[in-house]
C-alpha cells in the first residue's frame, strides 16, 4: 500500500456534506473533514490523534472498532447505525466504514463516513406510526393506483371482505360495490369532484352483504405527478341496529312492544294504498276493554299493566300474518286487517278476537273475566280518509259498548245488517243442531260396467222451520268459518252410521256410505278417535264408511292430515279425493297418502262431449289413477253419451242424474230390490 498525504485527503473529502473521518487500523483518528467549519473545529479538537476508546464510551468504541476490523478484514463496506449526544442534542447517525487502498505510518486505513439520519429516522418513525395506526384502525382502508387497482389494504378491510392481502392486490375493489351502475356513479363523482361519500351495500367474499359507509378520496402528488385513490370503509351494521332500536322505541309501546300510534298511522296509510292498488278491503278494528278502569282503581296500576300485557299476548297469537296489531293508548287496541274480499269477512276476524277473551285472565291471586267491545270500519266502503276511518271505528266501538260484553259493531247500518245476517245464520245453525232440523239424503253410486249399485253418498239437507229449504252452499261456509262444521260433521257421521245399521237390519247388502269431511275435521286431533267411537257404538266395521276429502284439506296442516288418514286407513275406512283436479293436485299426495279412489268433478263431466280440455283432464286422471292402483268415480253423469265415454276410458264408477238424484233412505231400499237399467225412481229431496 502507498501513503497519501493527509492534506490531499482533506482536499478530496472536503466535498462531502457529512462528517468524514480517516482512521487507521488501531482506531486512531487521523483526519476529519466536513463542510461545517464550526463542527470541524470542535471535532478536530476532540478526536484528532486519539483513538475511539479515548473519545467514546467503551461499549460504543468496541462496536466501532469491531466494525473497522470487519471492514479491513472483508475489504467491503460495513454499515452501522448509532446515536450520539452532540451539541444539538441526541442525533441518529449512519456510519459507513470503507477500507481504502493506502496506509498512514504503515498502518491500514479506513474512511468512516458519518451521516446524520435524524430527520430520516423521524420520517421513518412517523411513517411507521401512520402505518401502524392505519393497520390498527377499525375502519377499512384500501389504497389504489391511478388504474383503481389496490396496492395496499389494512387489516380491517381484509376482515370486512374476508380476503387475504394477496387476493386483493392489483385488483379492483369489487367487494366495495358489485353493482356496475352504482360503481360507475361513484367513480364518476370522484373524477368530477375528487371525492364521494355515502352509504352503500358492501359484499364479502362469501356473498353476504352488510351496510357500508364509504368515502372515496383522490390523492394527487404534484411532485411525482401521480394520482392515487383512498377508500375508507366503515361497517355501520351496529350503528344501523342502534338506530333501529331507537326507531323501535319511538314507534312501539313500551309496555306491550306493540306498534304505537305513530307506527299505526303509517301502517294504516300503507294498507289503504295497497288495498286501492289491489282492489281489496281494509278492516279497522277498534278494541276497548270493558271495565278496565275498575281493575286499575281496585287492584292497582301494576295489575292493570299485567292485564294489558296478557291481552296483547293473546291478540298477537290470533292475528294473521298480514295484520297489524297496535296499542292506541290506555286500554285501547287497534287491528288493521288487509286483503279482505267482502266486508263480511271482518266478522270472522272480530269473532276470533272475541274468542281471545273467553278464558279468564289470571293476575296474581285474582282470576278475572274480561270482555271487549269492538268497532269496525271498512276502507274504502266507509271512507277513503285514514283519520275518518279511525273515527268511524271509534264511534262503532261505543255503539258496541251499549251491548253486552264481547260484542262488535260495524260503523254503517248496511255492514251491520250483513254481519247480523252471518251471526243470525250461525245462531240458526246452532239451534238446528239442537232441534234436529237436518236430515240426510243419499245419491246412489253405480258400477259403470254392470250398472249394479255399489254404494251411496250421504248429503246433508236443512229444512228450516220458517225459511224452508236452505242449501248447503249457503250454510256450509258459515259452519266452516264459525267452527260449527265439527259438531255438524259429527252429526252427519252419526246419522249415516245409524242409517247403515237400519239398512243392515232390513237385510240390505253391506254397501259403504261416502261421507264428505271438511279440512277442519281432518286436522282435528280427536277426529279419528271420535269416528272410531261412533263405529264401535253402532257395531260397524270401518269398511262401511268411505271418507271423501278435498285436496286443499290435505295441504292444510299436512302432517296432522297425514296422521289422521293413516289412522283411518288402519281402521279399514276407504279414502277418496273429492273433486279431483279442481284443487292443488299433487302426485306426492297420491303417493304419500293411503288413498283408494279419485272422484272426477262434475264440472269436467258436464262439458265432456264439447270441451277437449275436459276430455284431456279426464283421460289423464283415469291414467293417473291406474298408475297408482286407484279406483275412479265420476260424478254429475247426466247422459248416456257421458257414461259411455267414461266407460270406454276405463272409469270404474259413476253417480249422477242419469242414474238417480239424491233420494230419501226408503228409496235406496227400493233401488236395491229393483233390477237396475241405468235409471232410478224420480223421487228425490232437492
Amino acid at each position: 500500500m502507498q501513503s497519501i498525504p493527509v492534506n490531499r485527503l482533506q482536499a478530496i473529502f472536503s466535498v462531502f456534506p457529512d462528517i468524514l473521518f480517516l482512521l487507521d487500523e488501531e482506531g486512531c483518528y487521523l483526519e476529519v473533514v466536513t463542510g461545517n467549519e464550526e463542527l470541524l473545529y470542535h471535532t478536530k479538537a476532540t478526536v484528532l490523534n486519539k483513538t475511539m476508546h479515548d473519545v467514546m464510551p467503551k461499549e460504543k468504541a468496541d462496536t466501532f472498532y469491531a466494525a473497522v476490523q470487519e471492514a479491513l478484514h472483508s475489504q467491503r463496506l460495513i454499515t452501522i447505525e448509532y446515536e450520539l449526544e452532540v451539541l444539538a442534542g441526541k442525533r441518529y447517525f449512519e456510519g459507513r466504514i470503507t477500507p481504502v487502498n493506502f496506509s498512514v505510518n504503515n498502518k491500514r486505513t479506513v474512511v468512516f463516513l458519518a451521516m446524520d439520519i435524524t430527520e430520516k429516522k423521524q420520517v421513518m418513525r412517523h411513517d411507521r406510526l401512520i402505518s401502524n395506526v392505519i393497520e390498527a384502525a377499525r375502519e377499512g382502508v384500501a389504497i389504489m393506483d391511478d388504474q383503481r387497482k389496490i396496492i395496499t389494504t389494512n387489516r380491517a378491510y381484509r376482515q370486512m371482505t374476508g380476503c387475504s392481502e394477496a387476493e386483493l392486490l392489483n385488483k379492483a375493489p369489487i367487494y366495495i360495490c358489485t353493482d356496475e351502475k352504482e360503481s360507475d356513479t361513484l367513480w364518476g363523482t370522484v373524477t368530477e369532484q375528487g371525492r364521494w361519500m355515502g352509504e352503500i351495500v358492501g359484499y364479502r367474499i362469501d356473498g353476504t352483504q352488510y351496510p357500508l359507509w364509504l368515502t372515496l378520496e383522490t390523492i394527487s402528488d404534484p411532485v411525482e405527478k401521480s394520482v392515487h385513490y383512498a377508500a375508507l370503509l366503515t361497517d355501520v351494521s351496529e350503528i344501523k341496529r342502534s338506530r333501529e332500536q331507537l326507531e323501535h322505541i319511538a314507534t312501539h309501546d313500551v309496555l306491550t312492544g306493540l306498534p304505537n300510534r305513530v307506527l299505526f298511522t303509517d301502517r294504516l296509510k300503507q294498507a289503504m294504498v295497497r288495498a286501492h292498488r289491489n282492489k281489496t278491503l281494509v278492516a279497522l278494528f277498534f278494541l276497548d276493554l270493558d271495565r278496565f278502569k275498575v281493575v286499575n282503581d281496585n287492584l292497582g296500576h301494576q295489575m292493570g299493566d299485567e292485564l294489558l300485557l296478557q291481552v296483547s299476548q293473546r291478540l298477537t297469537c290470533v292475528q294473521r300474518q298480514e295484520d297489524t296489531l297496535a296499542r292506541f293508548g290506555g286500554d285501547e287496541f287497534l287491528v288493521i286487517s288487509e286483503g279482505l274480499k267482502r266486508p263480511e269477512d271482518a266478522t270472522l276476524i272480530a269473532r276470533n278476537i272475541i274468542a281471545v277473551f273467553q278464558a279468564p285472565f289470571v293476575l296474581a291471586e285474582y282470576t278475572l273475566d274480561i270482555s271487549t267491545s269492538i268497532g269496525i270500519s271498512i276502507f274504502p266502503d266507509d271512507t277513503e280518509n285514514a283519520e275518518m276511518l279511525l273515527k268511524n271505528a271509534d264511534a262503532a266501538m261505543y255503539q258496541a259498548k251499549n251491548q253486552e260484553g264481547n260484542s262488535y259493531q260495524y260503523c254503517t247500518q248496511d255492514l251491520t245488517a250483513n254481519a247480523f245476517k252471518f251471526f243470525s245464520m250461525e245462531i240458526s245453525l246452532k239451534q238446528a243442531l239442537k232441534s234436529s232440523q237436518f236430515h240426510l239424503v243419499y245419491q246412489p253410486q253405480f258400477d259403470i260396467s254392470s250398472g249394479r249399485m255399489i254404494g251411496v253418498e250421504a248429503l246433508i239437507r236443512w229444512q228450516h222451520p220458517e225459511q224452508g229449504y236452505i242449501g248447503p252452499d249457503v250454510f256450509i261456509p258459515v259452519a266452516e268459518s264459525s267452527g260449527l262444521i265439527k259438531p255438524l260433521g259429527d252429526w252427519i257421521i252419526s246419522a249415516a252410521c245409524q242409517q247403515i245399521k237400519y239398512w243392515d237390519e232390513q237385510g240390505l247388502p253391506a254397501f259403504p256410505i261416502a261421507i264428505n269431511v271438511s279440512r277442519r275435521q281432518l286436522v282435528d286431533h280427536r277426529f279419528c278417535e271420535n269416528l272410531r267411537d261412533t263405529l264401535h257404538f253402532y257395531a260397524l266395521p270401518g269398511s262401511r264408511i268411505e271418507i271423501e276429502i278435498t285436496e286443499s284439506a290435505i295441504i292444510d296442516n299436512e302432517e296432522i292430515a297425514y296422521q289422521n288418514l293413516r289412522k283411518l286407513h288402519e281402521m279399514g275406512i276407504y279414502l277418496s279425493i273429492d273433486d279431483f283436479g279442481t284443487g292443488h293436485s299433487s302426485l306426492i299426495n297420491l303417493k304419500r297418502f293411503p288413498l283408494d279412489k279419485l272422484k272426477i268433478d262434475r264440472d269436467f263431466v258436464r262439458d265432456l262431449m264439447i270441451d277437449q280440455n275436459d276430455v284431456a283432464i279426464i283421460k289423464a286422471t283415469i291414467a293417473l289413477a291406474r298408475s297408482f292402483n286407484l279406483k275412479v268415480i265420476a260424478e254429475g253423469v247426466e247422459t248416456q253419451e257421458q257414461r259411455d265415454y267414461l266407460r270406454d276410458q276405463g272409469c270404474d264408477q259413476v253417480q249422477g242424474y242419469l242414474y238417480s238424484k239424491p233420494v230419501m233412505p226408503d228409496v235406496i231400499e227400493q233401488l236395491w230390490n229393483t233390477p237396475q237399467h241405468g235409471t232410478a225412481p224420480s223421487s228425490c229431496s232437492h
Side-chain angles (χ1 to χ4, degrees), residues 253-545:
D253 175 54
V254 176
L255 174 64
T256 63
L258 297 175
N260 60 16
R261 290 191 184 204
V262 175
L263 183 55
F264 158 78
T265 302
D266 181 64
R267 293 271 183 90
L268 179 58
K269 291 178 180 178
Q270 292 182 24
M272 292 166 67
V273 170
R274 285 190 291 269
H276 180 75
R277 182 174 60 246
N278 299 328
K279 300 187 185 314
T280 56
L281 304 179
V282 175
L284 175 60
F285 301 83
F286 198 118
L287 285 69
D288 184 85
L289 304 187
D290 299 326
R291 298 181 300 281
F292 176 75
K293 188 175 184 299
V294 176
V295 177
N296 255 354
D297 293 345
N298 291 278
L299 302 183
H301 289 281
Q302 185 175 354
M303 288 297 181
D305 287 347
E306 176 61 26
L307 174 59
L308 292 173
L309 187 58
Q310 289 190 26
V311 168
S312 69
Q313 291 169 346
R314 291 191 186 185
L315 291 173
T316 300
C317 290
V318 300
Q319 75 175 109
R320 303 180 308 164
Q321 185 176 4
E322 61 269 35
D323 292 348
T324 293
L325 170 65
R327 184 187 176 198
F328 200 59
D331 62 334
E332 296 173 338
F333 294 85
L334 296 165
V335 178
I336 304 170
S337 290
E338 300 185 53
L340 305 186
K341 301 298 184 183
R342 305 172 304 165
E344 296 90 335
D345 295 341
T347 299
L348 307 180
I349 300 172
R351 295 191 64 78
N352 286 336
I353 294 173
I354 289 174
V356 162
F357 294 87
Q358 297 302 316
F361 291 84
V362 179
L363 307 176
E365 67 271 24
Y366 304 101
T367 301
L368 305 177
D369 289 320
I370 301 297
S371 59
T372 185
S373 297
I374 306 174
I376 308 171
S377 59
I378 305 293
F379 169 86
D381 292 19
D382 294 340
T383 177
E384 296 188 8
N385 178 276
E387 185 178 353
M388 286 303 301
L389 197 68
L390 180 60
K391 288 182 178 180
N392 289 341
D394 189 14
M397 181 271 293
Y398 279 104
Q399 292 180 20
K401 283 281 187 185
N402 296 327
Q403 307 174 29
E404 295 183 3
N406 284 338
S407 60
Y408 58 89
Q409 182 72 43
Y410 282 91
C411 68
T412 66
Q413 214 46 43
D414 288 340
L415 292 176
T416 303
N418 290 331
F420 179 78
K421 182 178 180 181
F422 182 95
F423 188 56
S424 177
M425 175 67 72
E426 184 178 347
I427 294 176
S428 297
L429 278 171
K430 291 180 180 179
Q431 183 61 36
L433 281 168
K434 293 179 181 179
S435 57
S436 303
Q437 295 177 18
F438 296 107
H439 67 274
L440 294 181
V441 294
Y442 302 90
Q443 184 168 36
Q445 298 174 332
F446 296 85
D447 179 86
I448 197 170
S449 297
S450 64
R452 182 176 57 88
M453 183 174 166
I454 57 172
V456 296
E457 178 181 5
L459 302 169
I460 189 169
R461 296 293 184 261
W462 182 9
Q463 193 66 30
H464 193 279
E466 297 175 358
Q467 302 178 34
Y469 172 74
I470 300 177
D473 57 327
V474 175
F475 67 84
I476 290 296
V478 177
E480 284 273 10
S481 301
S482 63
L484 289 174
I485 195 67
K486 289 183 179 180
L488 188 61
D490 291 341
W491 179 88
I492 293 172
I493 291 173
S494 179
C497 289
Q498 184 178 6
Q499 186 63 56
I500 293 173
K501 191 68 175 177
Y502 176 79
W503 281 335
D504 286 350
E505 292 172 354
Q506 298 302 310
L508 271 66
F511 56 87
I513 289 183
I515 301 173
N516 291 280
V517 170
S518 74
R519 54 186 175 184
R520 277 182 176 262
Q521 292 174 273
L522 189 61
V523 298
D524 183 355
H525 291 282
R526 293 186 54 82
F527 174 67
C528 293
E529 183 179 346
N530 292 340
L531 178 54
R532 183 184 291 108
D533 291 344
T534 302
L535 290 171
H536 179 74
F537 179 81
Y538 289 103
L540 296 174
S543 58
R544 301 302 301 277
I545 297 293

